[in-house]
Amino acid sequence: MTALLLTEYIGIASAALSGYLYGVKKECDLLGIFLASFLTALGGGMVRDILVGRDLYSFTHYMPVSIVLFVIIISWIFKIQTKRESLDKSIAFVITDAIDVVSFSIVGAMVALDYGFNIFGVLIIALANGVGGGILRDILYNEIPWFMKTGFYGTVSIVVGFIYFLMHNMGFTSMFWIMVLFIFGVIFRMIAYKKNWRLPKFEERS
C-alpha cells in the first residue's frame, strides 16, 4: 500500500466516525447518519478530484465507500456516541476531526503535486480536501461550517499542505516523514483547540 492510500484510508475512517457522531448528535435517522458520514469522509476528496480534473476516486474504487459503511456498522453495533455536550466540546469528535483534516490535507497536497500544481494550487487543494467534506455536511444540515467556528482548523490544513510541499521539494516523501507530518499536524490542531488559538478578526469601525 502506498503512502498516499494509507494516509487517505486513515482519513476516511476517522472522518466517517466523525460524521457518524455528528449525525447521532443531530438525532438523524440511519440515512441521515450515512449522509453525514459519507460527506464528511468523501466530500473533500470529491471536491479535490473535480478541481484537479480526474475521475472521482470514491466512485471508481470500492474501498472508500466500503470503509464508510464498515465504520457506520461498527459504530452502530457498539452504540458509539458523544455525551450531551456540544460537538465542539466532545473530545472524541475533535480528535477524529483533527485526524481526518490532517490526513486529507496531506493527500490533497500529494494529488496536487502529482498533477503539477504550483504552491498556490497545492495549498488550495490541501484546504479543499481537508475541510471540503465538513463544509458539504454542514451545508446539508443547515449549520455554519465547522472550520469557520473553531480555531486554526483551516489554518492547520494550509500549514500541513505547505509543509508537505517543502518536504516534496526536498525529497522527504517516504512513509516515515509523512507519518511525522501527520503526527505533527494532529498535535498542532489539538494544541490550537485546547489553547483556543484563533486568527485575528477585522472589526467594523463605528
Side-chain angles (χ1 to χ4, degrees), residues 65-110:
V65 178
S66 299
I67 294 173
V68 173
L69 292 173
F70 177 77
V71 170
I72 292 173
I73 292 170
I74 294 299
S75 301
W76 188 272
I77 290 174
F78 290 97
K79 298 181 179 178
I80 299 174
Q81 57 185 322
T82 63
K83 296 180 180 179
R84 292 189 178 275
E85 70 267 20
S86 61
L87 284 172
D88 60 348
K89 301 296 182 182
S90 169
I91 192 65
F93 180 81
V94 174
I95 290 175
T96 55
D97 220 41
I99 291 172
D100 69 62
V101 73
V102 173
S103 299
F104 288 149
S105 298
I106 295 172
V107 170
M110 288 179 174

Side-chain angles (χ1 to χ4, degrees), residues 27-202:
E27 299 181 344
C28 297
D29 60 15
L30 187 56
L31 177 59
I33 290 173
F34 169 76
L35 289 175
S37 293
F38 178 88
L39 289 176
T40 308
L42 306 179
M46 294 165 65
V47 173
R48 172 203 68 209
D49 292 341
I50 291 171
L51 289 176
V52 302
R54 75 173 190 177
D55 293 336
L56 300 185
Y57 183 82
S58 298
F59 294 155
T60 54
H61 297 76
Y62 287 103
M63 186 61 74
V65 178
S66 299
I67 294 173
V68 173
L69 292 173
F70 177 77
V71 170
I72 292 173
I73 292 170
I74 294 299
S75 301
W76 188 272
I77 290 174
F78 290 97
K79 298 181 179 178
I80 299 174
Q81 57 185 322
T82 63
K83 296 180 180 179
R84 292 189 178 275
E85 70 267 20
S86 61
L87 284 172
D88 60 348
K89 301 296 182 182
S90 169
I91 192 65
F93 180 81
V94 174
I95 290 175
T96 55
D97 220 41
I99 291 172
D100 69 62
V101 73
V102 173
S103 299
F104 288 149
S105 298
I106 295 172
V107 170
M110 288 179 174
V111 172
L113 286 164
D114 284 344
Y115 277 76
F117 282 36
N118 63 20
I119 177 62
F120 303 109
V122 170
L123 297 185
I124 291 299
I125 299 300
L127 179 64
N129 204 158
V131 306
I135 292 175
L136 293 176
R137 175 201 65 205
D138 293 339
I139 291 174
L140 178 65
Y141 291 90
N142 198 30
E143 293 278 346
I144 297 174
W146 167 252
F147 91 101
M148 297 177 67
K149 298 187 296 182
T150 181
F152 265 44
Y153 189 72
T155 305
V156 169
S157 181
I158 293 173
V159 168
V160 168
F162 178 71
I163 293 175
Y164 185 79
F165 178 83
L166 296 179
M167 288 169 52
H168 175 83
N169 282 282
M170 293 187 293
F172 297 130
T173 56
S174 67
M175 184 73 74
F176 171 79
W177 288 110
I178 291 172
M179 288 299 103
V180 169
L181 176 58
F182 170 76
I183 293 169
F184 163 79
V186 173
I187 293 174
F188 180 28
R189 165 57 186 152
M190 294 308 298
I191 292 175
Y193 167 76
K194 293 294 290 184
K195 299 290 187 180
N196 197 30
W197 290 345
R198 296 181 183 276
L199 292 177
K201 297 180 180 180
F202 290 94

